[in-house]
Amino acid sequence: MPQLLLKNCQIVDPAAKKEYFSDILIIENKIRTIARDLQPGPDTKVIDLQGKIVAPGFIDIHVHLREPGDEDKETIATGTMAAARGGFTSVVAMPNTKPAIDNEAAVEYIKCKALSDGIIEVLPCAAITKGRKGEEISEYGILKKAGAVALSDDGDPVANPEVMRRAMEYSLLVNLPIISHCEDKNLAGGGAMHEGYYSTILGLKGIPCLAEDVQVARDIALAEYTGAKLHIAHISTAGSVELVRTAKKKGIRVTAEAAPHHFALTDAEVVGYNTNTKVNPPLRSEEHVKAIIEAILDGTIDAIASDHAPHTVENKNVEYDYASFGISGIETSVAAALDVLYHQKKMPLIDLISRYTTGPASVLGLDYQGLEPGRTANLTILDLEQIKRVDVNSFASKGKNNPFHGREFKGWPVMTIYQGKVVVGN
């Protein structure tokens, strides 16, 4: 049986709430032993991880793999390779594909394609409504049985509050979280960036914070009324953060995620009309960025998610108003978080790692017990001191639309182990 011995590991395990030094012996796809000074057998591959951090496998709860329908932008093969290079062993595939993931066959297609083409785990998220049209809810029982782990119409909101109420009520029957894209499109009004100083001087139509805030408030009210489990996707405003913080204090079942571009960049990046800065929700002003960071630090925000949205050059190489929304961010997500939150904001490492592990797992209701003998060997290895410049031309993702291009980050994932196999790294 294949054996892998990881020596001199600095283990950081939020599930066990422990940080310690040890060796890890992996046999086939399972962790066999965690102990100091383990000795290799004759057929054991040994990797010395002196100076590296070993954590349970990271989960990206919000990824657009584009397959089926937009394979020119990304495929499950390229997307999972990009995810592994970004340090992830699991990703949640959002359902805004063509056709939408709104039926049993579509969920099974994602699972089968992931098994044949992917190199890490792909967890399908199914559509809240049929065709993501916001009119008729999907068949949740069938979708869960097929393997869906959550429900979302991401890319579009469920505008009709009565439809969202029914969706929440029926989601309770199958114990699936509702992942809400909170945007009032009437208030957003076809804007291209955050409404504020820079939208004014650049002559671009702005998207006000209110477009997000009112939808977050509505969905929290519906979650309180129904008792459903609500997860706010890609939260970006100070107002939304405060709404979530207050709801949690009231005991409402609400969680939230933030994307790295919403805590590492501001709307000032749009100066120069770089369309790689165009994302929905938009990059916000400094006061909102500070609020997002504070909410990650205090636990109001449960997970960090890339909202990986790859596009072709043709989608982005146009006037700002006409460019597609989205950032290809899965390969820079962890590096941006380590640089900004750990090195600059001095966030405890175990807390930061929890936003990529126990946080998203709790949102999804997954069994997640960290690094223990007998568990599947899914591991993320980090080098906190590695300094590297982002180069989109080296991305595994088909999407090169990343506004961090040329920026230097300190701290990077350097190895990803999935089911006992090193899929990225030495």
Side-chain angles (χ1 to χ4, degrees):
M1 292 186 292
Q3 298 189 21
L4 176 64
L5 178 59
L6 307 178
K7 296 288 293 181
N8 303 310
C9 305
Q10 182 179 345
I11 297 171
V12 181
D13 187 353
K17 299 180 180 178
K18 292 194 299 186
E19 300 181 52
Y20 57 101
F21 290 88
S22 190
D23 299 340
I24 301 174
L25 176 63
I26 298 168
I27 299 180
E28 288 195 318
N29 65 341
K30 301 289 186 183
I31 296 173
R32 174 62 63 88
T33 308
I34 300 177
R36 298 295 293 267
D37 301 320
L38 292 176
Q39 298 303 310
D43 298 319
T44 302
K45 179 180 179 181
V46 179
I47 300 177
D48 189 349
L49 294 177
Q50 182 76 42
K52 309 297 191 298
I53 302 296
V54 178
F58 283 12
I59 303 168
D60 193 331
I61 200 172
H62 192 141
V63 174
H64 300 275
L65 294 178
R66 303 302 191 196
E67 188 175 7
D70 279 318
E71 288 85 355
D72 56 332
K73 297 181 179 182
E74 195 76 287
T75 63
I76 287 173
T78 59
T80 56
M81 175 55 76
R85 289 182 59 174
F88 297 98
T89 59
S90 299
V91 296
V92 175
M94 304 308 287
N96 59 333
T97 49
K98 300 174 183 176
I101 305 172
D102 62 0
N103 59 73
E104 181 181 17
V107 174
E108 290 179 348
Y109 173 84
I110 298 298
K111 291 177 64 180
C112 291
K113 197 71 172 176
L115 287 173
S116 64
D117 294 1
I119 63 168
I120 61 167
E121 182 179 40
V122 177
L123 302 169
C125 177
I128 294 173
T129 63
K130 293 181 179 179
R132 297 177 47 256
K133 296 179 180 179
E135 298 169 356
E136 182 182 358
I137 64 173
S138 305
E139 301 287 346
Y140 299 162
I142 293 173
L143 291 169
K144 179 168 183 177
K145 187 176 180 181
V149 297
L151 302 164
S152 182
D153 274 3
D154 187 65
D156 288 300
V158 178
N160 187 325
E162 173 64 13
V163 174
M164 188 58 124
R165 173 193 172 182
R166 299 304 177 199
M168 288 189 181
E169 289 173 338
Y170 279 95
S171 74
L172 283 168
L173 300 177
V174 293
N175 194 29
L176 288 176
I178 295 279
I179 301 178
S180 181
H181 174 107
C182 287
E183 177 190 17
D184 186 309
K185 285 190 174 288
N186 292 309
L187 286 170
M193 66 172 294
H194 172 67
E195 182 179 274
Y197 171 77
Y198 287 103
S199 66
T200 301
I201 67 169
L202 293 172
L204 293 171
K205 188 171 184 180
I207 301 172
C209 295
L210 197 62
E212 178 175 314
D213 296 348
V214 297
Q215 200 85 346
V216 170
R218 185 206 75 172
D219 284 355
I220 287 175
L222 288 170
E224 181 177 26
Y225 186 80
T226 61
K229 189 174 184 180
L230 170 68
H231 180 70
I232 307 298
H234 43 53
I235 196 168
S236 73
T237 73
S240 295
V241 162
E242 195 53 42
L243 287 164
V244 171
R245 185 178 284 121
T246 301
K248 286 189 168 190
K249 289 177 181 177
K250 292 176 65 177
I252 301 170
R253 300 173 70 201
V254 59
T255 54
E257 70 188 40
H261 45 269
H262 286 130
F263 60 74
L265 300 170
T266 70
D267 58 339
E269 299 290 333
V270 182
V271 173
Y273 301 97
N274 177 3
T275 57
N276 291 327
T277 65
K278 188 176 181 182
V279 64
N280 189 19
L283 302 180
R284 301 289 186 183
S285 53
E286 186 65 36
E287 67 268 26
H288 298 287
V289 171
K290 289 180 179 178
I292 295 296
I293 291 173
E294 181 182 345
I296 295 172
L297 295 178
D298 70 18
T300 300
I301 291 175
D302 305 80
I304 298 173
S306 68
D307 191 10
H308 177 67
H311 286 290
T312 64
V313 173
E314 291 76 15
N315 295 139
K316 288 290 191 177
N317 193 21
V318 292
E319 295 91 338
Y320 204 92
D321 280 327
Y322 299 108
S324 298
F325 288 101
I327 290 171
S328 177
I330 202 163
E331 292 176 69
T332 54
S333 174
V334 174
L338 287 171
D339 188 276
V340 174
L341 299 175
Y342 174 72
H343 286 294
Q344 296 181 36
K345 298 300 177 181
K346 308 306 179 187
M347 183 179 186
L349 183 61
I350 194 167
D351 291 344
L352 176 55
I353 290 175
S354 76
R355 305 301 188 272
Y356 284 105
T357 54
T358 53
S362 178
V363 170
L364 298 172
L366 300 179
D367 175 28
Y368 196 90
Q369 298 178 20
L371 302 184
E372 296 179 357
R375 303 291 293 181
T376 300
N378 294 337
L379 309 174
T380 298
I381 291 86
L382 310 172
D383 185 340
L384 300 181
E385 302 305 315
Q386 184 179 82
I387 298 173
K388 190 169 69 171
R389 197 175 300 276
V390 176
D391 180 6
V392 299
N393 297 307
S394 69
F395 280 8
S397 171
K398 288 187 176 185
K400 314 303 179 187
N401 50 303
N402 186 302
F404 293 122
H405 178 65
R407 179 164 167 173
E408 200 171 74
F409 287 134
K410 182 178 182 180
W412 285 83
V414 291
M415 184 181 297
T416 304
I417 297 174
Y418 178 63
Q419 294 191 347
K421 179 182 177 183
V422 178
V423 291
V424 167
N426 296 326

